[in-house]
């Protein structure tokens, strides 16, 4: 797959925003450093901004900035961030919202003292709730959904609730997919939406606790996986230990299937399954559904490599490194004109002539969003001498915008929303094109339509989408007559 790259990197990838990574550490003498390492492990979930808030038991201090974790924390943890608890955040955002004031964790000072919030996901009714709060006099400083949560929580606390109960009330008003971490000077609280759309896991440190979007963050800091935070659950950790309460009754489970397909790191586990192993199975299934007369299989680095190796194994073909990615092309590659943009792409990805020349190549990618990447890579392979290029996609056609934390391009930009498979094949210039079926996808994740959010493929949204939300209106969504 094309690794998610920042909107400014000159590669003109789709702007798929708002997917983020969160981590919270509790009760560790070196919590800020643990938090920083975990943020490094979660970097793939967001490269636009990073930040960390630390509690010393009395007050909270924070540091946030635009860019990669290494850019925001060039000399490690800043001197002033000392304490035994921390929350961290990495964010990938749409361009409009890509400003420092929107970097997280969000920090507020309210009636009960300091509060830091870090949030992954999207609240579909945030604009509505925000309007109501503003009408009642609230003043907002960011355009983040997270701030809506903060205001709701502060309002219920002002009416006498303790923080976890205030959060529980807030959750009943909120709709969408989210994994949320809140920290006061004396507690760390984690919560997950009632469908469990966005992931959040709980782990144990030798001293203390950790909650994070992905288990790869646990490995990075030597924590052991305890369990996933359950849909609708609130986990409260303080000096009294860990307690859990039902923030909201769990609803039909709907973990985002795209976590398996693209977002999560291959060394993470979700629902007890290793992401790499699932991706390999996606590839195997794809090979069964769409075999190809070919000489070798290659994957688009990085995360399509798991699926490509599964395809190769199942097809009895060699897996080869047909594409090489340069991991050091920075984010700040400016794109003044098309020529520079094309050069930027060439810097980032190259085909290995020695491997593909004269060969019939199966090229596996995890998804096609607008079709830009596929067109480019097919061309690249042909220019390097590939005789045939058979494109295989380890997910079904991506037809509907996501409203729960991925915020893909508007529907009009999704190539599969307006074109048939054959039309897409022609547009990207491949000799053949095959997408994994929904049934094949479900087989690989060992689940049913009732256990995952498949909205980007089926248009069946587990949480109703308010009219006119985002770039695609509900009419647009409903009006679609797919093939
Ligand atoms: P496109 O070039 O618009 O067809 O985008 C497809 C490419 O983007 C594939 O190589 C995917 O690996 C990658 N991709 C898929 N989902 C996302 C996402 N949410 N953010 C960034 N890139 C993505």
């Amino acid at each position: 797959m094309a690794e998610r790259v920042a909107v400014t990197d000159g590669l003109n990838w789709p702007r798929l925003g708002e997917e983020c990574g969160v981590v919270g550490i509790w009760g560790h003498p070196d919590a800020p450093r643990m938090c920083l390492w975990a943020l490094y492990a979660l970097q793939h979930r967001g490269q636009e901004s990073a930040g960390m808030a630390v509690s010393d038991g009395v007050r909270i201090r924070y540091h946030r900035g635009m860019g990669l974790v290494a850019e925001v924390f060039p000399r490690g943890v800043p001197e002033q961030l000392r304490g035994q608890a921390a929350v961290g955040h990495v964010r990938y955002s749409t361009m409009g919202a890509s400003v420092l004031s929107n970097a997280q964790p969000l920090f507020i000072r309210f009636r009960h003292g300091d509060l830091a919030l870090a949030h992954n996901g999207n609240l579909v009714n945030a604009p509505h709730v925000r309007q109501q709060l503003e009408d009642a006099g609230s003043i907002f400083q960011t355009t983040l959904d997270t701030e809506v949560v903060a205001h709701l929580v502060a309002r219920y606390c002002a009416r006498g609730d303790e923080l976890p109960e205030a959060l529980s009330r807030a959750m009943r008003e909120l709709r969408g997919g989210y994994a949320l971490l809140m920290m006061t000077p004396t507690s760390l609280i984690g919560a997950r939406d009632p469908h469990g759309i966005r992931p959040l896991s709980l782990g144990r440190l030798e001293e203390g606790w950790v909650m994070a979007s992905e288990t790869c963050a646990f490995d990075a800091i030597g924590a052991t996986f305890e369990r996933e935070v359950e849909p609708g659950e609130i986990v409260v950790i303080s000096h009294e230990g860990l307690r859990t309460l039902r923030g909201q009754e769990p609803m039909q489970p709907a973990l985002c299937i795209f976590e398996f397909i693209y977002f999560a790191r291959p060394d993470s586990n979700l629902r007890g399954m290793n992401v790499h192993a699932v991706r390999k199975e996606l590839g195997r299934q794809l090979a069964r559904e769409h075999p190809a007369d070919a000489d070798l299989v290659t994957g688009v680095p990085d995360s399509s490599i798991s699926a490509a190796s599964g395809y190769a194994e199942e097809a009895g073909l060699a897996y080869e490194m047909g594409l090489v990615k340069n991991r050091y092309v920075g984010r700040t590659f400016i794109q003044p004109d098309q020529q520079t943009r094309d050069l930027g792409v060439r810097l980032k990805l190259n085909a290995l002539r020695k491997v593909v020349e004269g060969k019939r190549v199966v090229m596996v990618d995890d998804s096609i969003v607008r079709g830009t990447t596929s067109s480019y890579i097919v061309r690249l392979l042909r220019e390097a001498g590939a005789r045939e290029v058979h494109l295989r996609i380890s997910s079904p056609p991506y037809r509907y915008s996501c409203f729960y934390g991925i915020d893909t391009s508007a529907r009009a930009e999704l190539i599969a929303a307006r074109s048939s498979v054959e039309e897409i094949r022609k547009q990207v210039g491949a000799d053949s094109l095959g997408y994994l079926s929904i049934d094949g996808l479900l087989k690989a994740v060992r689940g049913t339509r009732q256990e995952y959010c498949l909205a980007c493929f089926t248009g069946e949204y587990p949480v109703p989408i308010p009219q006119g939300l985002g770039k695609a209106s509900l009419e647009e969504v409903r009006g679609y007559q797919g093939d």
Side-chain angles (χ1 to χ4, degrees):
M1 77 175 185
E3 188 182 81
R4 259 156 293 155
V5 274
V7 284
T8 49
D9 75 350
L11 302 189
N12 203 24
W13 301 121
R15 288 201 186 97
L16 307 148
E18 302 293 348
E19 57 229 49
C20 302
V22 294
V23 56
I25 310 278
W26 178 265
H28 192 283
D30 210 357
R33 205 142 54 99
M34 295 285 122
C35 186
L36 183 65
W37 290 349
L39 285 180
Y40 271 107
L42 296 174
Q43 183 75 82
H44 61 288
R45 296 185 72 86
Q47 302 91 43
E48 195 74 26
S49 69
M52 185 197 313
V54 176
S55 162
D56 61 10
V58 180
R59 53 172 297 186
I60 291 174
R61 292 185 176 80
Y62 63 92
H63 178 71
R64 302 180 299 218
M66 300 304 289
L68 301 170
V69 176
E71 293 167 327
V72 177
F73 298 95
R75 282 173 291 281
V77 178
E79 239 340 88
Q80 74 277 15
L81 297 187
R82 295 237 171 126
Q84 305 221 332
V87 285
H89 190 269
V90 285
R91 175 163 198 260
Y92 183 97
S93 72
T94 52
M95 189 141 70
S98 170
V99 289
L100 184 56
S101 61
N102 276 352
Q104 297 194 37
L106 184 75
F107 173 79
I108 60 162
R109 197 159 275 154
F110 76 130
R111 193 188 165 102
H112 288 6
D114 291 354
L115 181 67
L117 292 95
H119 168 240
N120 167 214
N122 217 32
L123 304 170
V124 294
N125 66 339
H128 175 71
V129 178
R130 186 184 172 111
Q131 187 64 55
Q132 285 181 333
L133 288 163
E134 282 180 335
D135 290 347
S138 295
I139 296 168
F140 281 79
Q141 291 175 12
T142 72
T143 58
L144 296 172
D145 288 3
T146 325
E147 200 177 353
V148 173
V149 185
H151 276 273
L152 280 181
V153 165
R155 192 174 68 177
Y156 288 120
C157 283
R159 294 181 189 167
D161 279 352
E162 290 300 316
L163 196 56
E165 287 68 33
L167 174 60
S168 167
R169 271 187 214 264
M171 283 168 75
R172 284 163 216 267
E173 285 186 42
L174 300 170
R175 305 276 176 273
Y178 55 87
L180 177 73
L181 291 176
M182 292 186 2
M183 185 178 68
T184 68
T186 54
S187 66
L188 175 69
I189 300 176
R192 208 170 157 204
D193 70 82
H195 294 277
I197 295 176
R198 302 261 63 98
L200 187 66
S201 286
L202 173 70
R204 215 183 246 280
L205 283 156
E206 222 166 274
E207 280 180 87
W209 294 95
V210 51
M211 283 187 270
S213 300
E214 281 185 45
T215 59
C216 65
F218 298 170
D219 298 339
I221 60 174
T224 48
F225 172 77
E226 190 80 9
R227 63 179 176 86
E228 291 188 0
V229 175
E230 279 170 27
E233 182 183 2
I234 298 178
V235 174
V236 185
I237 312 175
S238 68
H239 65 274
E240 288 162 10
L242 183 145
R243 80 182 163 105
T244 160
L245 64 147
R246 179 108 345 273
Q248 209 179 343
E249 281 313 307
M251 299 180 179
Q252 181 182 319
L255 174 67
C256 167
I257 197 96
F258 228 64
E259 291 284 347
F260 277 115
I261 294 167
Y262 172 85
F263 295 135
R265 241 170 65 160
D267 51 341
S268 286
N269 298 329
L270 286 164
R271 289 178 47 125
M273 290 179 280
N274 168 247
V275 171
H276 164 73
V278 167
R279 285 186 189 154
K280 261 192 108 167
E281 196 46 45
L282 294 174
R284 283 201 191 97
Q285 191 61 35
L286 184 60
R288 284 177 215 125
E289 292 181 12
H290 297 284
D293 254 337
D295 303 308
L296 62 94
V297 180
T298 193
V300 185
D302 285 314
S303 84
S304 300
I305 289 172
S306 305
S309 66
Y311 189 104
E313 264 179 36
E314 182 69 24
L317 292 169
Y319 173 79
E320 273 283 11
M321 191 166 71
L323 294 162
V324 180
K325 183 170 142 188
N326 183 335
R327 292 190 171 73
Y328 309 101
V329 179
R331 303 160 19 84
T332 45
F333 206 76
I334 309 204
Q335 39 171 314
D337 51 48
Q338 188 60 39
Q339 198 191 1
T340 321
R341 263 206 294 273
D342 289 347
L343 276 175
V345 177
R346 275 166 195 281
L347 270 180
K348 184 101 188 169
L349 211 56
N350 198 14
L352 230 160
R353 176 172 290 275
K354 184 97 184 115
V355 168
V356 302
E357 195 163 31
K359 298 286 177 20
R360 297 167 304 168
V361 178
V362 173
M363 204 264 290
V364 178
D365 201 356
D366 54 78
S367 55
I368 300 181
V369 181
R370 292 185 313 181
T372 322
T373 310
S374 302
S375 311
Y376 166 68
I377 294 171
V378 170
R379 204 174 66 226
L380 201 66
L381 289 169
R382 287 203 198 284
E383 283 170 8
R387 189 145 58 90
E388 290 172 14
V389 181
H390 300 278
L391 182 57
R392 296 291 179 270
I393 305 299
S394 59
S395 63
Y398 198 120
R399 292 197 167 117
Y400 299 87
S401 302
C402 174
F403 299 96
Y404 311 132
I406 293 146
D407 190 22
T408 23
S409 326
R411 280 212 77 211
E413 287 175 31
L414 303 176
I415 193 169
R418 54 187 155 77
S419 310
S420 68
V421 173
E422 174 56 15
E423 285 164 350
I424 299 172
R425 183 198 67 75
K426 279 201 193 120
Q427 286 178 52
V428 301
D431 292 285
S432 71
L433 168 61
Y435 282 95
L436 185 64
S437 68
I438 290 186
D439 284 347
L441 171 63
L442 289 170
K443 252 188 220 158
V445 294
R446 290 189 245 138
T448 65
R449 284 172 189 254
Q450 279 71 49
E451 291 169 88
Y452 288 98
C453 177
L454 299 168
C456 52
F457 307 126
T458 62
E460 287 154 25
Y461 292 89
V463 180
I465 309 301
Q467 198 100 15
L469 182 84
K471 299 166 208 134
S473 72
L474 198 57
E475 276 76 48
E476 201 189 349
V477 171
R478 285 207 182 114
Y480 173 68
Q481 309 287 315
D483 54 9

